Amino acid sequence: EENAYMVERGLLTDREREIINGEADVSDDYRYRVASRIRNKIDRIDGDVTILEEHRADLLEELREVVCEED
Protein backbone atom coordinates (compact mmCIF):
# COMPACT_ATOMS: atom_id res chain seq x y z
CA GLU A 1 0.00 0.00 0.00
CA GLU A 2 1.36 3.36 -0.99
CA ASN A 3 1.51 6.09 1.60
CA ALA A 4 0.52 9.47 0.20
CA TYR A 5 2.77 11.13 2.77
CA MET A 6 5.96 9.21 1.96
CA VAL A 7 9.00 11.43 1.68
CA GLU A 8 11.57 10.45 -0.88
CA ARG A 9 15.16 10.97 0.19
CA GLY A 10 18.58 9.53 -0.21
CA LEU A 11 20.88 8.37 2.51
CA LEU A 12 20.70 11.76 4.24
CA THR A 13 17.71 13.79 5.31
CA ASP A 14 17.58 17.44 4.28
CA ARG A 15 18.50 18.44 7.84
CA GLU A 16 21.46 16.04 7.93
CA ARG A 17 22.69 17.55 4.67
CA GLU A 18 22.52 21.04 6.19
CA ILE A 19 24.43 19.91 9.27
CA ILE A 20 27.12 17.98 7.39
CA ASN A 21 27.79 20.71 4.84
CA GLY A 22 28.03 23.37 7.55
CA GLU A 23 24.85 25.32 6.73
CA ALA A 24 23.29 24.61 10.14
CA ASP A 25 24.41 26.31 13.32
CA VAL A 26 24.61 23.35 15.70
CA SER A 27 26.93 22.32 18.49
CA ASP A 28 29.90 20.06 17.84
CA ASP A 29 28.23 17.45 20.05
CA TYR A 30 25.10 17.47 17.91
CA ARG A 31 27.16 17.34 14.70
CA TYR A 32 28.95 14.27 16.14
CA ARG A 33 25.60 12.58 16.94
CA VAL A 34 24.37 13.23 13.41
CA ALA A 35 27.56 11.71 11.99
CA SER A 36 27.01 8.68 14.21
CA ARG A 37 23.44 8.25 12.91
CA ILE A 38 24.73 8.43 9.36
CA ARG A 39 27.36 5.76 10.12
CA ASN A 40 24.56 3.51 11.40
CA LYS A 41 22.64 4.03 8.17
CA ILE A 42 25.74 3.15 6.15
CA ASP A 43 26.12 -0.06 8.18
CA ARG A 44 22.51 -1.03 7.35
CA ILE A 45 23.15 -0.65 3.63
CA ASP A 46 24.94 -4.01 3.67
CA GLY A 47 21.67 -5.77 4.50
CA ASP A 48 19.84 -3.81 1.83
CA VAL A 49 22.41 -4.89 -0.75
CA THR A 50 21.86 -8.54 0.22
CA ILE A 51 18.10 -8.16 -0.28
CA LEU A 52 18.62 -6.51 -3.65
CA GLU A 53 21.07 -9.25 -4.69
CA GLU A 54 18.46 -11.90 -3.92
CA HIS A 55 15.34 -10.18 -5.22
CA ARG A 56 16.11 -7.21 -7.51
CA ALA A 57 19.49 -7.46 -9.18
CA ASP A 58 18.43 -4.72 -11.59
CA LEU A 59 18.00 -2.24 -8.74
CA LEU A 60 21.30 -3.32 -7.22
CA GLU A 61 23.01 -2.56 -10.51
CA GLU A 62 21.43 0.92 -10.54
CA LEU A 63 22.67 1.48 -6.99
CA ARG A 64 26.18 0.41 -7.95
CA GLU A 65 26.17 2.74 -10.94
CA VAL A 66 25.29 5.70 -8.72
CA VAL A 67 27.55 4.88 -5.77
CA CYS A 68 30.55 3.66 -7.71
CA GLU A 69 30.43 6.28 -10.45
CA GLU A 70 33.79 7.91 -11.02
CA ASP A 71 33.92 11.68 -11.47
Side-chain angles (χ1 to χ4, degrees), residues 12-65:
L12 306 178
T13 64
D14 290 341
R15 181 67 174 154
E16 288 167 340
R17 284 185 191 99
E18 291 173 359
I19 292 167
I20 294 298
N21 70 22
E23 293 176 1
D25 185 21
V26 297
S27 70
D28 289 342
D29 183 59
Y30 190 73
R31 193 178 311 277
Y32 176 81
R33 288 188 308 218
V34 168
S36 180
R37 280 199 314 261
I38 294 168
R39 280 189 191 93
N40 289 335
K41 290 181 194 183
I42 292 169
D43 289 342
R44 289 192 305 268
I45 290 174
D46 188 44
D48 294 344
V49 166
T50 299
I51 290 169
L52 291 175
E53 281 177 332
E54 294 174 5
H55 302 284
R56 290 297 306 261
D58 59 323
L59 294 176
L60 178 58
E61 182 57 31
E62 288 181 39
L63 175 62
R64 286 185 173 138
E65 287 174 6

